[in-house]
């Protein structure tokens, strides 16, 4: 039976090796070491780590060591050198030699010697068994060697000295060998924040609980921007140191089974916590150091046993079977009572009756977990492989002054896929065995999923994230500019013309089309009160008021523009039929035209709304236009004759409205065209 020494990293984080933490007794003669020149070594079932005695210091004189390595039949072994520094020029006294096979039938693969050698390629065997031999004679310098091995199926094998800065990829996957805690390199950081890029990747993976030091395994690494400060913690027998700002860091991808299981949050009730004994000692208002106090981060007394011996335990009932991937512990957290547990074993059960001690893969010994190194700080240990059980017990094996403990379990629910069962009356179900075997001891755990939240985006994605909003803003500004310019131009065009009439009212087309529409369907024209013109002045253009007229709208017979003057009913002085107090005595500027005359007030005499007759239908000059045949109809559709009324309403003869001056005298100019009144079918007010 061979042996291999498994070493751990001291809690100081200074790189000092603590030998003989655990002796692994293997059941295979093919994994063995012998001689007096063997350094810290871990020989795993499919990978491992070897080193010369005293590494990284100078190896001793006149020593020898041989390692016999075997992997499963049908596989082969390859070696990856981390460092090779042996003082000799001819490889006669000091050298490292690799052999195919074990025993006297072995054959040499390669032989190395020399200071500062760099062996980049992997050295591969031709069989599944290999012998490594290291010889040293008299020498004055040389650090010896440090190498890793694995089966050839792991082509991406790296060494325990490879750092995060050695891999420029943002994401990469590598295979870490077993035994990387033999490295003296320091790591800085912790999960989930990440590790400084100067940290050895495989050592950090052990600290994070991604792989086991005894077995090794595959890691998935994500690199990202560094953080200002890195925390120092103790986990899985690896102590990390604090660190300052760095350019980059790395974290690990896992399956996400890292949630707390309810002790700290209160999801686990006090009745689910029990212990072998309870210490009763008054501290303030509390006198019992009960199991209910064994909750991580809870203020107050922790659990403490009445006696301090190897028979004490603390039990947690999770009420159902769960996957447990780790445990975090602290001491009393009380300055006056600095008690803590420095080492412990873990047992688990599904029924609370039959208990199994936790062991690492391919080991026949119960695993002893490193506990706390003081009463205050937390220490984490991961279960690789994980535990699947309902009950968990903590058995302290070493303690400081008195057994006192607070803890939290880490893991997740077991999501088992339901398997349909078909009833078979002829099927015989064998009785269950009385003792259960530990589940899944041959598998590598899937540790917590540590997601990196500081990972910078790819360059293309970042460029697109900047350019897309900028282009959108530029296009939006351009569109708004064009729309505003078009709107301003439209408003400027619409503001041109007399009395701010709409654009279509100023066109000949619209004036002609309005004659075809009934007067009530045509929107009423804006009227102008001439009294307002007088108040505003000659140069002011009054705003038109849309008020419905009392009389029929005038028909425009193809007149594109009004004449130089338009007729209207002037003031006749004391005529009782006209009582509008505002006199039409405000002369109108010749460059200001009104489309229609304002209807007369309801209290005065009623006059027909005048019609503007086309200038082409009347002779220029002072024609009286007494003949109805002289009136032109619009497109042949006008009335055959237009009956008129006098301005006073007392005569039935035909007369035309003529503009009058302030004295009431009608003075028509020679070129004036008179407006022909329409027949008014309604009787004037006050007439019988």
């Amino acid at each position: 039976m061979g042996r291999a020494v498994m070493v751990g990293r001291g809690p100081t984080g200074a790189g000092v090796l603590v030998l003989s933490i655990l002796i692994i007794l293997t059941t295979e003669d093919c994994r063995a070491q012998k001689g007096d020149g063997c350094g810290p070594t871990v020989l795993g079932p499919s990978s491992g780590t070897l080193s010369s005695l005293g590494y990284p210091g100078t190896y001793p004189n006149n020593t020898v060591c041989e390692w016999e390595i075997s992997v499963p039949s049908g596989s082969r072994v390859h070696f990856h050198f981390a460092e090779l520094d042996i003082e000799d020029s001819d490889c006669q006294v000091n050298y490292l030699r690799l052999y195919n096979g074990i025993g006297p039938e072995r054959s040499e693969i390669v032989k190395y010697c020399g200071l500062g050698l760099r062996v980049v390629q992997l050295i591969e065997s031709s069989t599944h068994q290999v012998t490594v031999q290291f010889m040293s004679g008299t020498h004055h310098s040389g650090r010896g060697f440090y190498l890793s091995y694995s089966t050839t199926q792991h082509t991406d094998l790296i060494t325990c000295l490879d750092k995060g800065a050695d891999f420029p990829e943002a994401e990469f996957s590598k295979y870490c060998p077993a035994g990387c805690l033999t490295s003296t390199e320091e790591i800085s950081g912790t999960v989930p924040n990440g590790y400084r890029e100067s940290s050895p990747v495989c050592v950090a993976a052990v600290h994070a609980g991604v792989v086991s030091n005894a077995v090794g395994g595959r890691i998935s690494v994500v690199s990202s921007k560094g953080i200002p400060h890195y925390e120092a913690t103790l986990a899985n027998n690896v102590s990390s140191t604090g660190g300052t700002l760095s350019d980059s860091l790395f974290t690990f991808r896992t399956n996400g089974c890292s949630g707390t299981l309810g002790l700290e949050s209160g999801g686990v009730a006090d009745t689910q916590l029990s212990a072998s004994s309870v210490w009763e000692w008054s501290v303030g208002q509390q006198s019992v150091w009960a199991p209910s106090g064994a909750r991580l981060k809870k203020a107050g007394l922790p659990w403490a046993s009445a006696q301090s011996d190897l028979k004490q335990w603390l039990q947690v009932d999770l009420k159902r079977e769960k996957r447990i991937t780790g445990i975090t512990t602290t001491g009393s957290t009380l300055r006056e009572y600095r008690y803590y547990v420095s080492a412990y074993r873990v047992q688990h059960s599904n029924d609370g009756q039959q208990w199994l001690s936790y062991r690492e893969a391919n080991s026949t010994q119960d695993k002893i977990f490193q506990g706390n190194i003081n009463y205050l700080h937390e220490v984490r240990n991961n279960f690789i492989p994980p535990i699947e059980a309902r009950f968990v017990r903590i058995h302290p094996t070493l303690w400081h002054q008195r057994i006192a403990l607070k803890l939290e379990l880490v893991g997740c629910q077991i999501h088992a896929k339901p398997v349909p069962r078909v009833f078979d009356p002829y099927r015989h179900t064998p009785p269950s065995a009385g003792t259960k075997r530990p589940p899944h001891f041959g598998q590598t755990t899937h540790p917590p999923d540590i997601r990196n939240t500081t990972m910078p985006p790819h360059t293309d994605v970042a460029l697109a994230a900047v350019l897309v909003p900028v282009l959108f803003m530029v296009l939006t500004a351009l569109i708004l500019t064009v729309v505003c310019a078009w709107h301003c131009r439209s408003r400027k065009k619409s503001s041109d013309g007399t009395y701010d009439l709409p654009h279509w009212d100023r066109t000949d087309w619209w004036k002609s089309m309005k004659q075809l529409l009934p007067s009530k369907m045509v929107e009423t024209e804006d009227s102008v009160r001439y009294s307002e013109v007088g108040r505003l002045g000659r140069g002011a253009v009054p705003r038109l008021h849309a008020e419905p007229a009392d009389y029929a709208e005038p028909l425009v017979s193809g007149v594109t523009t009004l004449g130089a003057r338009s007729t209207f009913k002037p003031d006749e002085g004391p005529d009782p039929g006209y009582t509008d107090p505002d006199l039409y005595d405000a002369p109108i500027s010749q460059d200001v035209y009104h489309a229609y005359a304002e209807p007369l007030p309801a209290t005065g005499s009623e006059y027909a709304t005048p019609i503007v007759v086309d200038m082409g239908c009347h002779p220029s000059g002072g024609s009286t236009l007494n003949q109805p045949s002289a009136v032109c109809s619009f497109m042949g559709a006008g009335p055959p004759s237009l009956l008129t009324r006098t301005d006073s309403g007392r005569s039935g003869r035909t007369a035309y409205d003529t503009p009058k001056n302030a004295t009431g005298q009608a003075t028509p100019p020679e070129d004036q065209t008179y407006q022909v009144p329409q027949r008014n079918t309604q009787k004037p007010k006050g007439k019988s």
Side-chain angles (χ1 to χ4, degrees):
M1 183 176 295
R3 72 174 184 178
V5 180
M6 177 181 176
V7 298
R9 302 287 297 276
T12 60
V16 180
L17 295 177
V18 181
L19 299 178
S20 302
I21 289 181
L22 180 64
I23 303 296
I24 300 178
L25 300 177
T26 65
T27 58
E28 301 182 39
D29 296 335
C30 54
R31 291 201 305 273
Q33 64 179 18
K34 53 187 177 182
D36 56 356
C38 303
T41 301
V42 173
L43 303 178
S46 59
S47 66
T49 303
L50 314 176
S51 64
S52 58
L53 183 62
Y55 180 85
T58 303
Y59 53 93
N61 294 328
N62 304 317
T63 58
V64 61
C65 183
E66 286 190 359
W67 295 266
E68 295 177 347
I69 301 171
S70 179
V71 296
S73 179
S75 301
R76 291 176 297 173
V77 183
H78 59 190
F79 297 88
H80 194 170
F81 283 89
E83 187 170 2
L84 187 58
D85 190 50
I86 300 174
E87 179 186 318
D88 206 325
S89 58
D90 54 5
C91 297
Q92 295 298 321
V93 179
N94 298 282
Y95 59 86
L96 178 70
R97 182 180 293 177
L98 304 180
Y99 295 93
N100 278 317
I102 297 174
E105 302 297 328
R106 63 191 184 187
S107 59
E108 182 178 308
I109 301 174
V110 67
K111 187 177 183 181
Y112 289 109
C113 64
L115 296 175
L117 293 179
R118 289 183 58 84
V119 181
V120 179
Q121 70 276 12
L122 297 177
I123 308 303
E124 185 174 330
S125 69
S126 59
T127 65
H128 71 286
Q129 292 181 330
V130 178
T131 300
V132 179
Q133 182 185 66
F134 175 66
M135 298 288 294
S136 69
T138 303
H139 65 282
H140 302 283
S141 62
R143 292 158 56 95
F145 74 95
Y146 190 59
L147 64 83
S148 300
Y149 75 88
S150 73
T151 57
T152 54
Q153 68 185 38
H154 303 300
T155 57
D156 53 356
L157 171 70
I158 60 176
T159 70
C160 300
L161 300 185
D162 291 329
K163 299 178 173 59
D166 297 332
F167 304 96
E169 301 92 343
E171 296 186 24
F172 59 90
S173 176
K174 299 294 180 181
Y175 186 84
C176 287
C180 279
L181 294 192
T182 58
S183 168
T184 59
E185 297 291 328
E186 293 184 349
I187 65 170
S188 180
T190 186
V191 291
N193 297 329
Y195 297 87
R196 190 184 178 98
E197 80 275 12
S198 59
S199 303
V201 176
C202 292
V203 178
V206 175
H207 181 272
V210 177
V211 296
S212 168
N213 181 66
V215 179
R218 180 163 300 281
I219 60 173
S220 295
V221 184
V222 178
S223 299
S224 61
K225 185 178 180 180
I227 57 177
H229 177 71
Y230 296 89
E231 184 181 357
T233 59
L234 176 60
N236 298 309
N237 204 27
V238 181
S239 181
S240 69
T241 61
T244 57
L245 177 66
S246 66
D247 294 335
S248 63
L249 58 80
F250 62 88
T251 56
F252 302 94
R253 292 189 182 276
T254 60
N255 66 352
C257 190
S258 60
T260 58
L261 296 183
L263 277 80
E264 178 183 347
S265 63
V268 175
D270 291 345
T271 56
Q272 296 173 239
L273 300 174
S274 57
S276 57
S277 63
V278 175
W279 185 37
E280 296 185 5
W281 180 263
S282 297
V283 177
Q285 297 181 354
Q286 294 180 304
S287 59
V288 179
W289 299 52
S292 59
R295 300 176 184 272
L296 193 69
K297 301 184 185 302
K298 179 183 178 181
L301 298 178
W303 166 73
S305 60
Q307 297 83 26
S308 294
D309 54 37
L310 297 177
K311 298 180 180 181
Q312 306 304 315
W313 48 263
L314 175 66
Q315 177 177 305
V316 180
D317 179 8
L318 298 175
K319 289 298 184 181
R320 60 180 298 181
E321 185 176 347
K322 295 184 179 180
R323 179 176 289 110
I324 308 166
T325 58
I327 180 174
T328 303
T329 60
T330 62
S332 66
T333 67
L334 300 174
R335 184 183 299 271
E336 298 82 4
Y337 303 92
R338 302 190 177 190
Y339 309 144
Y340 58 89
V341 174
S342 56
Y344 57 88
R345 294 184 298 113
V346 175
Q347 288 186 321
H348 54 90
S349 172
N350 285 329
D351 57 8
Q353 301 298 323
Q354 297 177 342
W355 295 89
L356 298 172
S357 295
Y358 182 81
R359 297 175 181 177
E360 288 187 309
N362 303 309
S363 174
T364 59
Q365 301 295 317
D366 297 348
K367 181 173 182 177
I368 304 299
F369 293 90
Q370 179 178 353
N372 298 90
I373 58 176
N374 55 48
Y375 71 98
L376 183 60
H377 296 102
E378 300 176 4
V379 173
R380 172 176 49 83
N381 283 284
N382 289 90
F383 301 128
I384 306 177
I387 296 173
E388 293 186 357
R390 171 182 171 179
F391 298 92
V392 177
R393 276 186 180 180
I394 311 301
H395 289 265
T397 57
L398 292 175
W399 53 87
H400 177 73
Q401 296 183 8
R402 175 177 287 277
I403 295 175
L405 183 65
K406 292 182 180 182
L407 63 88
E408 178 63 273
L409 297 176
V410 177
C412 59
Q413 302 287 344
I414 298 177
H415 301 287
K417 295 183 180 179
V419 178
R421 297 182 180 181
V422 179
F423 177 73
D424 186 1
Y426 301 98
R427 180 179 179 181
H428 175 69
T429 303
S432 59
T435 303
K436 297 182 180 180
R437 297 178 61 83
H440 308 295
F441 279 163
Q443 299 180 2
T444 302
T445 187
H446 298 285
D449 189 7
I450 305 165
R451 298 295 181 186
N452 180 22
T453 58
T454 59
M455 182 175 178
H458 296 292
T459 305
D460 296 339
V461 177
L463 185 61
V466 173
L467 290 180
V468 170
V470 171
L471 291 176
F472 178 77
M473 293 177 64
V474 171
L475 291 177
T476 303
L478 182 60
I479 293 173
L480 290 177
T481 303
V482 173
V483 170
C484 291
W486 177 82
H487 182 67
C488 293
R489 184 177 179 182
S490 299
R491 291 190 59 183
K492 182 177 180 182
K493 288 183 177 181
S494 63
S495 62
D496 298 338
T498 306
Y499 299 114
D500 291 336
L501 293 177
H503 177 71
W504 50 83
D505 277 3
R506 300 196 307 270
T507 61
D508 298 340
W509 174 82
W510 177 247
K511 290 182 178 181
S512 301
M513 290 300 298
K514 286 198 295 184
Q515 301 182 54
L516 301 178
L517 302 176
S519 60
K520 294 301 182 180
M521 296 181 60
V522 180
E523 293 187 5
T524 57
E525 295 289 343
D526 295 340
S527 60
V528 179
R529 296 187 181 274
Y530 289 87
S531 59
E532 295 179 359
V533 177
R535 288 194 299 268
L536 294 174
R538 295 180 178 272
V541 179
R543 181 170 296 276
L544 300 179
H545 302 278
E547 298 177 356
D550 294 338
Y551 305 99
E553 298 290 340
L555 297 177
V556 181
S557 178
V559 178
T560 59
T561 58
L562 295 177
R565 297 178 179 85
S566 62
T567 60
F568 52 88
K569 178 67 175 75
D571 185 274
E572 295 188 357
D575 187 353
Y578 191 83
T579 58
D580 190 351
D582 294 331
L583 298 179
Y584 294 89
D585 57 353
I588 306 300
S589 175
Q590 294 185 2
D591 57 348
V592 177
Y593 303 101
H594 301 282
Y596 308 103
E598 185 183 30
L600 297 178
T603 58
S605 302
E606 298 180 359
Y607 295 90
T609 303
I611 299 175
V612 180
V613 182
D614 189 358
M615 294 294 295
C617 297
H618 302 280
S620 60
S623 175
T624 60
L625 299 176
N626 292 329
Q627 293 81 7
S629 60
V631 180
C632 294
S633 61
F634 178 75
M635 299 294 292
S641 63
L642 299 175
L643 299 180
T644 62
R645 296 177 57 188
T646 60
D647 54 354
S648 62
R650 295 189 296 268
S651 175
R653 63 182 178 86
T654 302
Y656 298 93
D657 292 340
T658 58
K660 297 181 181 181
N661 55 21
T663 60
Q665 300 298 325
T667 57
E670 294 180 356
D671 59 346
Q672 180 175 357
T673 300
Y674 294 97
Q675 297 176 346
V676 181
Q678 288 181 336
R679 178 185 297 274
N680 189 355
T681 59
Q682 297 180 357
K683 293 183 179 181
K685 297 181 181 179
K687 304 257 183 201
S688 56

